[in-house]
Amino acid sequence: SSGINAEYGGDGATMDILNSPLSVKEFQYEFEKLGPSSDGKINGTQAKQPMQESKLPNATLRRIWTLSDLDKDGKLDLREFAICKQLIKMKLDGHDLPIEVPDIWVSPMVE
């Protein structure tokens, strides 16, 4: 039955991830280590290493960058970096990338 598919693997699992708030704090240490500038952002060069460590194809990484860079300024702030890392993890776990970043990841989580 389709109920089982929704619960185990298939698109259901992907939807679960996309419907769950993003824990930005989880990525703060790694982000700070990359040395964000005074405006609290890292550039493409700084983001390249953690992205390439995933061993995902460059085309996929470009797509992840485009999705993550919400304000299209060519840099990532902590939230955008967290989105980037989450998308990489999704892809490595065998999920398809979303067409766009879910709103629940964009709006700050209630701490």
Side-chain angles (χ1 to χ4, degrees):
S1 80
S2 63
I4 290 178
N5 287 343
E7 264 181 81
Y8 303 104
D11 290 339
T14 305
M15 288 316 296
D16 284 349
I17 299 169
L18 296 176
N19 287 324
S20 305
L22 197 57
S23 172
V24 172
K25 280 206 175 103
E26 207 181 302
F27 302 100
Q28 187 150 9
Y29 177 71
E30 188 181 352
F31 182 76
E32 298 292 342
K33 264 196 335 193
L34 295 169
S37 60
S38 55
D39 61 356
K41 298 188 174 200
I42 56 168
N43 61 28
T45 311
Q46 290 167 299
K48 201 171 180 175
Q49 193 191 350
M51 290 181 79
Q52 287 184 332
E53 279 169 8
S54 68
K55 304 275 191 281
L56 289 170
N58 281 333
T60 304
L61 291 175
R62 271 198 299 275
R63 185 143 169 250
I64 287 172
W65 172 273
T66 305
L67 282 167
S68 308
D69 185 11
L70 301 173
D71 57 5
K72 306 290 172 240
D73 66 351
K75 299 174 187 170
L76 301 182
D77 63 19
L78 176 57
R79 176 165 298 276
E80 291 169 333
F81 178 72
I83 289 170
C84 176
K85 294 291 289 189
Q86 186 73 4
L87 291 171
I88 288 172
K89 183 179 185 314
M90 277 184 76
K91 198 71 186 143
L92 290 175
D93 289 346
H95 301 285
D96 288 326
L97 291 173
I99 305 295
E100 53 188 30
V101 173
D103 287 342
I104 193 165
W105 290 10
V106 177
S107 50
M109 201 168 89
V110 181
E111 294 293 351

